[in-house]
């Protein structure tokens, strides 16, 4: 089976297993998704979802956050880790959006990645989930792990992994592909104990790096 056929089979099978994939992060606006995604770096989505209600009630939009005191924001997001850098980047992004971009979040990769602390993964998540725009595939820890196990890439570099995946997956599935692998990585293809016998991908997966006992 070619890599493209394998990737297509992955999409087909996981789309049936997870028919309505959505972001695990709670948000109501594109800006709030950007904030939540920045906070989710090196932090669980569940933890972020306990922090953002307070954050969004106090600072619901870029204009409000642009005027936030850094120590106040740091206190609210402390439990997400790396809170000083995250607070610095979020306030800087809020100021740029408010004072240079007319209060509107950019709707393209170049514009989003020009914001402080926003790399391709975050931009891809925002574009796909908030705007329905697919410029690439968001590569997080689950996508990285499963893409390697499935033999779709041999790289550990998220940028290289994205480049490897893009020609293998139809563009209309780029956004959902991230969701599929995240959900499957959490539920079945776990980091330490992948449930291979129960996996719908078992007969097409080369199980790269998986021990025989898994």
């Amino acid at each position: 089976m070619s890599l493209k056929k394998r990737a297509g089979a992955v999409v087909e099978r996981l789309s049936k297993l997870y028919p309505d994939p959505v972001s695990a992060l709670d948000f109501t606006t594109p800006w709030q998704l950007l904030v939540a995604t920045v906070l989710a770096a090196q932090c669980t989505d569940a933890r972020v979802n306990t922090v953002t209600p307070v954050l969004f009630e106090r600072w619901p939009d870029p204009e409000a956050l642009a005027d936030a005191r850094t120590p106040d924001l740091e206190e609210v997001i402390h439990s997400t880790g790396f809170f000083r850098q995250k607070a610095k980047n979020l306030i800087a992004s809020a100021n740029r959006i408010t004072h240079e971009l007319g209060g509107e979040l950019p709707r393209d990769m170049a514009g989003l990645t020009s914001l402080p602390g926003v790399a391709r993964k975050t931009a891809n998540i925002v574009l796909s989930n908030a705007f329905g725009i697919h410029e690439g595939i968001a590569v997080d820890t689950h996508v990285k792990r499963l893409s390697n196990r499935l033999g779709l890439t041999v790289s550990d570099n998220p940028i290289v992994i994205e480049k490897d995946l893009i020609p293998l997956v139809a563009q209309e599935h780029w956004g959902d592909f991230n969701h599929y692998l995240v959900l499957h990585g959490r539920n079945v293809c776990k980091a330490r104990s992948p449930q291979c016998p129960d996996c719908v991908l078992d007969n097409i997966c080369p199980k790269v790096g998986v021990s025989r006992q898994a």
Side-chain angles (χ1 to χ4, degrees), residues 13-86:
R13 296 183 189 188
L14 294 187
S15 67
K16 294 176 181 177
L17 192 60
Y18 311 108
D20 298 301
V22 295
S23 173
L25 295 169
D26 296 334
F27 69 97
T28 56
T29 67
W31 164 251
Q32 290 184 355
L33 177 58
L34 177 71
V35 172
T37 306
V38 168
L39 294 180
Q42 305 298 315
C43 180
T44 66
D45 292 346
R47 167 61 65 181
V48 172
N49 287 339
T50 68
V51 170
T52 49
V54 175
L55 192 159
F56 295 151
E57 181 177 4
R58 191 165 178 180
W59 304 290
D61 52 39
E63 185 177 5
L65 195 65
D67 291 331
R69 293 179 65 251
T70 300
D72 292 340
L73 180 57
E74 289 178 349
E75 182 179 2
V76 171
I77 69 172
H78 186 279
S79 64
T80 68
F82 302 96
F83 61 93
R84 289 191 177 88
Q85 190 61 47
K86 290 177 181 179

Side-chain angles (χ1 to χ4, degrees), residues 6 145 147-153 205-211:
R6 185 185 301 160
R145 183 176 74 254
S147 295
N148 272 274
R149 281 183 177 170
L150 287 162
L152 302 179
T153 183
C205 180
K207 304 177 182 62
V208 177
V210 177
S211 68

Side-chain angles (χ1 to χ4, degrees), residues 106-129:
R107 296 193 177 206
D108 60 85
M109 180 64 66
L112 283 172
T113 54
S114 72
L115 298 174
V118 177
R120 284 192 64 90
K121 183 192 79 171
T122 296
N124 275 320
I125 289 172
V126 172
L127 288 171
S128 174
N129 293 276

